[in-house]
Amino acid sequence: LAEAAGGCCPGASRNKFAYNEAGQVRIRAGLPIYECNSRCRCGTDCPNRVVQKGIRYDLCIFRTGNGRGWGVRTLERIRKNSFVMEYVGEIITSEEAERRGQVYDRQGATYLFDLDYVEDVYTVDAAHYGNISHFVNHSCDPNLQVYNVFIENLDERLPRIALFATRPIRAGEELTFDYNMHVDPVDAESTRMDSNFGLAAGGLGGAPRARGRIECKCGAAACRKYLF
């Protein structure tokens, strides 16, 4: 499994095998993850089936105490590089996202995540359809990292958005990721990872394409002071 072989997903896509034997991601952020799918001969215990199994940790929604609205914390310890959750929502065109973003601006809340791995054609909107991920707050020093994942669908314009732990996370700790994420721009592939993400919980934002400067309340030592 260390090398692509036998026409399995990483081999068919000429990419490295993304996980170790424990299901922890071992490739750097910016590279795509290709998991096994229904055409593969392997079983459900295959180490290349991780994101498709869904959330495996006990997570909890809670009300933050510093004006950031709702947040998500883990109720158990999470190992470094482990899959935590997928960002789920309604897939819409970028044109529709622009229209909805203007409406969300007036409401003071939006859950738009651009799928711009190769080109900005589609957006995930978690306002009406989604999972616990749309309650995850921003941090300038996050403990989650975004990866683009392909399973049953190999259209590079439609990656699945998976969040992996960047470090060991203690039980009771809040889960966060960087809404204004940028991976090393020196690498050509990694520049596709700019999520252009805007989420407002408790009055924290506007649409990705139409917003003023928004004060950051993450409290990190290296806080950038503004979300966007």
Side-chain angles (χ1 to χ4, degrees):
L1 296 176
E3 299 294 332
C8 210
C9 294
S13 308
R14 294 188 175 88
N15 284 279
K16 295 179 180 178
F17 198 85
Y19 305 116
N20 62 16
E21 294 79 3
Q24 296 162 291
V25 67
R26 62 180 189 136
I27 61 174
R28 59 177 173 76
L31 292 176
I33 295 175
Y34 287 86
E35 291 196 0
C36 291
N37 56 46
S38 59
R39 291 193 170 189
C40 297
R41 293 189 295 270
C42 57
T44 57
D45 58 343
C46 174
N48 196 33
R49 298 179 183 271
V50 176
V51 173
Q52 61 192 262
K53 292 182 177 179
I55 297 172
R56 314 290 277 188
Y57 292 100
D58 288 330
L59 309 176
C60 174
I61 299 171
F62 74 102
R63 190 75 173 177
T64 65
N66 59 351
R68 292 178 299 124
W70 297 99
V72 179
R73 63 163 59 107
T74 176
L75 300 180
E76 57 184 305
R77 182 180 179 275
I78 298 176
R79 296 177 302 167
K80 180 180 179 180
N81 297 329
S82 295
F83 169 67
V84 179
M85 69 180 78
E86 181 178 356
Y87 192 84
V88 175
E90 180 184 3
I91 297 176
I92 59 177
T93 64
S94 295
E95 291 78 13
E96 176 65 12
E98 182 73 31
R99 187 191 69 79
R100 293 187 187 187
Q102 296 175 8
V103 175
Y104 295 154
D105 265 353
R106 295 191 291 270
Q107 297 174 346
T110 184
Y111 299 91
L112 298 173
F113 197 130
D114 286 350
L115 301 179
D116 55 1
Y117 173 61
V118 291
E119 55 182 312
D120 191 1
V121 179
Y122 299 106
T123 296
V124 174
D125 182 1
H128 304 291
Y129 304 92
N131 64 2
I132 196 173
S133 64
H134 71 181
F135 293 103
V136 176
N137 279 313
H138 162 84
S139 175
C140 296
D141 183 22
N143 51 25
L144 299 179
Q145 172 67 53
V146 173
Y147 280 82
N148 290 303
V149 182
F150 300 91
I151 306 175
E152 297 291 345
N153 171 46
L154 299 182
D155 186 340
E156 290 189 330
R157 300 172 303 169
L158 290 166
R160 292 169 65 164
I161 304 302
L163 300 171
F164 287 80
T166 60
R167 56 174 174 78
I169 303 175
R170 305 182 310 273
E173 188 175 348
E174 182 177 0
L175 302 175
T176 58
F177 71 98
D178 190 342
Y179 290 2
N180 198 24
M181 176 193 59
H182 293 276
V183 187
D184 184 5
V186 174
D187 183 90
E189 277 204 272
S190 68
T191 60
R192 301 166 181 171
M193 288 290 290
D194 178 13
S195 64
N196 194 22
F197 180 78
L199 181 153
L204 278 184
R209 302 170 185 79
R211 60 161 71 91
R213 299 201 76 183
I214 302 169
E215 181 183 358
C216 181
K217 300 179 180 179
C218 73
C223 180
R224 298 189 297 265
K225 306 304 179 184
Y226 293 93
L227 263 67
F228 304 100

